[in-house]
Amino acid sequence: MNNLENIDHNNLPQHLAIIMDGNGRWAKQQGFLRAFGHENGTKSVKNTIETCAKMGIKYLTLYAFSTENWNRPKLEVEALMKILINSLKKELETLNRNNIKLNAIGNLDKLPKKAQKELFDVIEKTKNNNQLTLTLALSYGSREELVNAIKVISDKVKNNIISIDNIDDSIINEHLYTQNLPDVDLLIRTSGEHRISNFLLWQIAYAELYFTNVLWPDFKEEHLYEAIISYQKRERRFGKTSEQIK
């Protein structure tokens, strides 16, 4: 039986986030440079986005480039930026055809000017789409995001714009990159690593975590279905007891 038939479409994660890991190892296994893995990983990106849109998932966030990734070898960083620019150019038509809105979070000012231009161009040209919001985390680090939010909130408290007694979850949410996104329901990480790697630390407070040994370029529809089926078998209690949920 196709795994898709086992999925309850009334119980999909509203917000799915993915740490796309394993491109470099996949390339090395094949005897190629790491950039070859990143290039092949774009096929899994495209497939995953289209599958999520088709299934009815409303928000998909992909960890594309972290703040720490700037420390990688210069050639690899340049290759990643080139892949990003080319992918944005190539996929605009696909995004519009599937009614997908592009969004981006992170320290975007650090991206090369050409990458920024392509990114903001695609964001502008897809802004009215509403089937799926695709968020790319680029030059993103969750600790940096939280530090920035704390600085802005502190400044507003100092200037009597916000009362310290009014600071709560919603105030913090309003000052994060993800202010227009719901909390993450399901976080998937590929490649067998069991780490969060500074990704959406606030937003995954009650997310279900799913780890798979599949390397990202090998991640197909069937693997996404397996993750969602696993998610649907879990009891999400949000701190309550099973009896309270029932």
Side-chain angles (χ1 to χ4, degrees):
M1 185 181 282
N2 188 321
N3 267 334
L4 181 58
E5 295 171 21
N6 296 325
I7 288 175
D8 177 1
H9 288 267
N10 296 312
N11 184 27
L12 292 170
Q14 183 187 21
H15 187 177
L16 168 64
I18 305 179
I19 300 174
M20 308 177 293
D21 195 21
N23 288 337
R25 269 169 285 165
W26 183 89
K28 283 166 79 174
Q29 284 175 9
Q30 321 244 354
F32 292 102
L33 294 173
R34 293 173 61 87
F36 182 74
H38 295 308
E39 192 71 59
N40 275 271
T42 61
K43 296 170 187 170
S44 295
V45 171
K46 182 182 171 79
N47 189 39
T48 299
I49 294 167
E50 291 182 344
T51 302
C52 286
K54 184 174 65 182
M55 289 175 66
I57 289 172
K58 298 302 293 180
Y59 299 91
L60 172 64
T61 301
L62 302 177
Y63 204 7
F65 193 87
S66 75
T67 48
E68 292 76 23
N69 286 158
W70 291 114
N71 298 319
R72 291 192 172 187
K74 188 168 179 282
L75 279 176
E76 183 176 349
V77 172
E78 286 174 354
L80 281 163
M81 290 301 123
K82 189 177 177 184
I83 290 167
L84 171 64
I85 292 164
N86 291 340
S87 296
L88 288 166
K89 281 180 180 174
K90 200 164 65 175
E91 297 306 327
L92 175 59
E93 186 187 335
T94 303
L95 294 174
N96 279 327
R97 188 174 65 247
N98 288 283
N99 199 14
I100 297 167
K101 174 182 178 178
L102 183 67
N103 181 39
I105 57 172
N107 188 351
L108 304 178
D109 289 341
K110 285 190 76 174
L111 296 172
K113 290 286 180 266
K114 195 171 180 183
Q116 288 184 46
K117 183 181 179 301
E118 286 298 334
L119 181 64
F120 295 132
D121 185 52
V122 177
I123 287 172
E124 176 62 27
K125 287 176 178 172
T126 61
K127 67 181 181 182
N128 296 319
N129 296 341
N130 58 17
Q131 172 72 19
L132 167 69
T133 298
L134 167 65
T135 301
L136 299 181
L138 293 161
S139 188
Y140 174 87
S142 190
R143 284 184 170 184
E144 181 179 81
E145 176 185 29
L146 289 165
V147 168
N148 289 342
I150 290 164
K151 285 179 178 176
V152 174
I153 293 168
S154 299
D155 191 59
K156 287 182 178 179
V157 169
K158 190 171 84 174
N159 291 291
N160 297 314
I161 297 167
I162 294 175
S163 163
I164 197 163
D165 295 326
N166 290 336
I167 296 174
D168 58 10
D169 284 15
S170 63
I171 292 286
I172 293 170
N173 277 325
E174 284 168 21
H175 291 84
L176 298 176
Y177 297 138
T178 54
Q179 58 189 256
N180 298 315
L181 303 174
D183 282 346
V184 176
D185 296 301
L186 172 62
L187 172 68
I188 298 172
R189 181 172 188 146
T190 58
S191 91
E193 301 291 353
H194 294 74
R195 289 190 297 274
I196 303 304
S197 296
N198 198 16
F199 185 47
L200 301 175
L201 299 178
W202 174 274
Q203 298 88 340
I204 63 167
Y206 276 102
E208 297 298 320
L209 308 182
Y210 181 87
F211 301 101
T212 174
N213 290 326
V214 177
L215 300 177
W216 180 248
D218 291 327
F219 192 81
K220 305 286 189 293
E221 280 178 56
E222 67 205 65
H223 303 117
L224 179 58
Y225 296 153
E226 284 168 10
I228 291 171
I229 289 167
S230 171
Y231 164 84
Q232 292 182 341
K233 287 176 180 174
R234 303 181 192 185
E235 182 181 67
R236 304 188 73 204
R237 296 196 299 273
F238 300 95
K240 295 179 181 178
T241 66
S242 295
E243 290 71 26
Q244 284 176 300
I245 296 297
K246 286 166 185 169

